[in-house]
Structure formats: structure tokens, C-alpha cells
Amino acid sequence: MKNWICGTVAVGLMLTTLTAHAEIKTINDVLGRDVQVDVPAKRVVLGFYYPDYIAATGSEKFGQVVGISREFWEDFNPGSWELYSEKLPNLNSIGDIGNIDRGTFSFEKTLAMKPDVVVLAKWQYDTLKAEMPRFEAANIPVVVVDYNDQTVKNHVKSTEIFGQLAGSEQRADQAAQEYAAGIADIQKRVQAAALPKPKIYMEFGDKGPQEHSFTFGKNMWGAIADTVGGDNISRPFIEDWGVINPEQVLVSKPDVIMISGTEVGMKQPNAMAMGIDIPTDEAQRRLKGFTTRSGWEDLPAVKNNRVYGIYHTASRSLSDLAAAQFMAKALYPTAFADVDPEKTYMDFHEKYLPIKPNGTFFIQLGCGASVCDDNANVQAKDQGNASTAATQADPAANMSENVTENVSWFTKLMNWFSSLFA
């Protein structure tokens, strides 16, 4: 009897311990769906947003991820994949559910991974709606997150969901609130500048100068432009992303142009290349090529040297606070003179991610640093009539047009001279 009582007590204590560490929790996802999940999840299939999951949960929690869409990471962001492969032991052998966007998703492979939960990006869920009854029949909960819409609300909620799934709520909440505070600071500065919205054109430079590729309307870079006070010339013509008529760019006369790229751009001779291990000189060369498009020499952005390169992967992510700062600084240089987007990007990695990326992530055409020193002068010259107070606040903004042109000429000469010895 004594042994039986001791055994019963031991089993009870074990069950109590397990219960304390695991529970069925209702997760309210970004679509407003209430999903029952056994948390912390021990076997997770993650459709997208891999670094964000790591940022919200910690790199050790990635050991519970048993399946991903490998193409999105391994092929589209090879520099990132290589760095993370050195830090995450399970990454090279992790299961592949296929590419949902290209129609190669395999429900059978996903089922074989025996997931506790499948986490999908909103656009992945929309594509796989017909498969949802199969998930339900297999008793596999599906939770939807979304960073693509680039709203603070969904960035915060998606990060909190990752924390709830992994049992790392405190870490996730901290990362989410830091993002929200950073965006609030941007908007406060833009509002205080009290300037007309500069017109901006953004393009994914994967096809090079010879062919216009995707620009962005109300999604991704387009949504970031809205957030940071830009007048996105593509918004009236593009819903999410798509190709705009090249003539429309010429007619719209953007004040700022941003061309995004990834490491994959290196596979083509003139496509935009940005990111991990991309040399700045090479990114500059490729960015320069876009300004040679027919008619672009007459655009205000090109005339005033307000053409920029940006890492395409630094969007739809918690790390895109740095990208938002960079875009805001390109649009309103004086208001963000003390802001260093590159530092923001590196600090985020140091605090929340296991890798330290080296490469080229933010550049302005013809500048050694991410933003030219005389960028504020250009803005003051273009918008001085609109804001006398802003001009007076920056003494350098009173430089004459001839001086600005001389500085630009000298900068170009020095860049050319330096390139001879590169």
C-alpha cells in the first residue's frame, strides 16, 4: 500500500509539472481567428518570417521548428541562409514543405512532420484555403501571422503570437514594443518637419535597368513609404506589387528613388545587388546603371542625387524599423540628421539574432556612407520655400546653388579618383 501511495504521488507530481509547462491556449491570429494550440509548441512548421520567429523566441527555440519553405530562405536569401546555417544546427537538415507561392506545397510532407502547429503568412493562408479542411481533419491547428502589410498593428501582433507559441512572451513583447516606439518616433519627426510630402518611387531591381520590375502600392515598401510620410507615386496604379508603366514614372517626377536588391542580384551582371557580403562598390555600380534609363536624367531624384539602394530583405520584418528610418531620412534628411539606420539594423541583430551580417544594406548613389553629407542641403534647396523655419534651423541649407553643385562635383571627382586604387 505504501509503495502504491508513493507511486501515485510521484505520478501526480509529474503530471502537475507537465501541466505547468504545457497548456492548451487560444491564439487569436491576425485574421481574428481563435485557434487552439498546445503551447509551448514542440513541433512547429513555419511558412515564412524565419528571422522574426528567432527574434521573438530566441535561437534555441528554433530547434522546435521541424519544417519550413526552404526556397524562400535558402534560394532567395542565400547570404542569410549561410550565416544562420552556422548558428542553427537543424537548419541544413530541416524539412521542406515546398513553395506555396509556386504551387509546390506538399500537404503530405507537412503531415509527415507531425506538427503541433502550422504557422503561415497571410498570403500563404489565402493561397492554401482549399487545404484547410485537410488540416482540420488531421487535427493540425493553423495560425496566421503577417508582416507584409507593414502595419505596426500586425507587426506587433505577429511578434506576440510567436512569443505565445514558443512560451517567450516577455522577449517577444519587448521586441514588438521597441518596433512600435521606433515607428512612433519616425512619425513624430515627420510631423514636426511640417514639409510637403516628397514624391518617392521604389522598385525591386532584380531585372536590372533594361526592364522595369515590381514596384509597390499599399504593401511592403509602399506601405513603409506611407508610414514615413512619402508620396508614393505607384500607389494609385498598383494594389500590392506589380509593374508600373515606365512613362508614369517620368510623368510623376519622383523626388526620391529607391531600388531594392538581394544577394541573388549577383547572378546577373546589372541587377541590383544588396545584402550580406555584397561589396559597396559593386552595389554602387549597379545602382548607377538604373539612372541611365531613358528620360531618368531629367527626374528630380536623379538631378539632385537622391537615388538610393536598399536591402530588399530589410522589409516585412521586425528589422525593417531600420529600413523605415533610412527611407524617412532620404525623404526628410534634416529631420533625421541624428538617426543612423545602419546602426539600428546592426543593433537589432546584436540584441535579438544570433548572426552579425556584414555587407551593404543601405546606400545613397555616389556616397561612401549610407547617406551623403550634403543630402540635407539638397532637401533645403528643393523645399526651402515650403518651410522657412526648417531652412533657418540648418545653416548649411543656406548654401548657394553653385556651392552645392561644386561640392557634388568635387565628391564625384574624389569618388572617381578613389576607385582607381580600389
Side-chain angles (χ1 to χ4, degrees):
M1 175 65 72
K2 181 178 179 181
N3 289 339
W4 179 86
I5 292 174
C6 290
T8 302
V9 171
V11 170
L13 288 173
M14 183 174 66
L15 290 174
T16 300
T17 302
L18 289 172
T19 302
H21 293 283
E23 62 173 317
I24 302 297
K25 191 167 190 173
T26 300
I27 305 291
N28 183 262
D29 71 10
V30 297
L31 297 180
R33 300 162 58 249
D34 287 333
V35 184
Q36 304 292 315
V37 184
D38 190 356
V39 298
K42 297 177 180 62
R43 299 184 64 82
V44 179
V45 167
L46 186 61
F48 203 35
Y49 308 130
Y50 316 115
D52 299 295
Y53 186 87
I54 296 169
T57 67
S59 56
E60 69 281 357
K61 298 282 186 178
F62 201 80
Q64 275 103 46
V65 176
V66 296
I68 62 172
S69 181
R70 284 181 63 131
E71 186 176 2
F72 277 122
W73 198 351
E74 187 173 14
D75 294 347
F76 295 164
N77 292 286
S80 171
W81 176 270
E82 183 176 352
L83 285 183
Y84 278 98
S85 294
E86 298 172 0
K87 300 294 183 179
L88 305 176
N90 65 324
L91 191 53
N92 281 302
S93 60
I94 202 166
D96 183 18
I97 64 172
N99 187 331
I100 295 171
D101 193 40
R102 295 179 184 267
T104 60
F105 168 77
S106 171
F107 177 81
E108 288 71 22
K109 287 182 179 179
T110 304
L111 186 64
M113 296 172 189
K114 300 179 180 179
D116 298 326
V117 62
V118 172
V119 184
L120 298 177
K122 180 181 178 295
W123 58 268
Q124 292 177 321
Y125 175 83
D126 290 340
T127 303
L128 291 179
K129 273 186 177 178
E131 299 282 355
M132 288 305 115
R134 300 181 70 184
F135 283 106
E136 293 169 4
N139 203 27
I140 299 173
V142 175
V143 174
V144 181
V145 293
D146 183 17
Y147 291 88
N148 274 62
D149 72 343
Q150 291 295 159
T151 64
V152 172
K153 177 182 177 182
N154 273 0
H155 267 50
V156 168
K157 186 159 189 172
S158 298
T159 306
E160 291 173 345
I161 288 171
F162 285 156
Q164 291 169 353
L165 291 173
S168 58
E169 288 93 338
Q170 185 174 353
R171 177 189 176 101
D173 290 349
Q174 180 178 339
Q177 293 310 312
E178 287 176 3
Y179 179 86
I183 295 296
D185 176 69
I186 291 173
Q187 294 179 325
K188 181 179 178 181
R189 289 168 180 260
V190 170
Q191 185 177 10
L195 294 169
K197 288 185 176 182
K199 291 185 287 185
I200 182 170
Y201 172 68
M202 300 146 295
E203 182 182 329
F204 183 31
D206 62 322
K207 296 181 179 178
Q210 69 279 3
E211 182 179 354
H212 283 62
S213 188
F214 290 158
T215 184
F216 307 88
K218 303 169 186 175
N219 196 289
M220 289 181 62
W221 294 121
I224 293 179
D226 289 342
T227 297
V228 303
D231 180 6
N232 177 16
I233 69 166
S234 301
R235 202 175 198 274
F237 311 101
I238 303 295
E239 180 65 26
D240 290 323
W241 55 80
V243 180
I244 195 173
N245 187 324
E247 291 297 322
Q248 186 60 52
V249 178
L250 301 182
V251 170
S252 299
K253 299 183 183 302
D255 302 299
V256 171
I257 291 174
M258 285 200 172
I259 306 296
S260 67
T262 69
E263 299 89 352
V264 178
M266 293 296 288
K267 295 182 179 180
Q268 301 179 48
N270 295 310
M272 193 60 202
M274 297 285 292
I276 296 169
D277 292 335
I278 302 298
T280 299
D281 288 347
E282 183 63 19
Q284 286 279 359
R285 181 190 72 79
R286 291 165 182 259
L287 181 59
K288 177 69 174 177
F290 286 85
T291 66
T292 65
R293 283 174 167 171
S294 178
W296 276 40
E297 69 274 9
D298 295 322
L299 295 177
V302 177
K303 283 183 175 182
N304 295 321
N305 195 38
R306 300 178 75 182
V307 179
Y308 304 83
I310 194 167
Y311 188 30
H312 191 72
T313 305
S315 65
R316 62 191 179 198
S317 164
L318 275 177
S319 65
D320 65 44
L321 172 61
Q325 288 179 343
F326 182 71
M327 189 179 292
K329 189 165 185 171
L331 293 166
Y332 303 95
T334 305
F336 291 86
D338 63 325
V339 175
D340 186 349
E342 188 97 19
K343 184 177 186 302
T344 298
Y345 192 67
M346 295 304 172
D347 286 351
F348 178 83
H349 280 76
E350 183 177 353
K351 186 171 184 178
Y352 290 109
L353 296 172
I355 68 166
K356 182 179 180 180
N358 291 305
T360 306
F361 307 102
F362 310 104
I363 57 171
Q364 183 176 1
L365 184 61
C367 300
S370 61
V371 178
C372 293
D373 292 337
D374 64 348
N375 195 19
N377 300 335
V378 173
Q379 185 199 36
K381 185 181 73 174
D382 290 343
Q383 298 180 329
N385 293 334
S387 179
T388 304
T391 303
Q392 292 175 343
D394 183 2
N398 293 320
M399 293 172 63
S400 68
E401 183 176 347
N402 289 336
V403 173
T404 302
E405 288 177 354
N406 287 338
V407 172
S408 299
W409 173 86
F410 180 74
T411 301
K412 290 176 182 178
L413 177 62
M414 291 303 296
N415 287 339
W416 172 80
F417 183 75
S418 297
S419 70
L420 297 179
F421 301 93

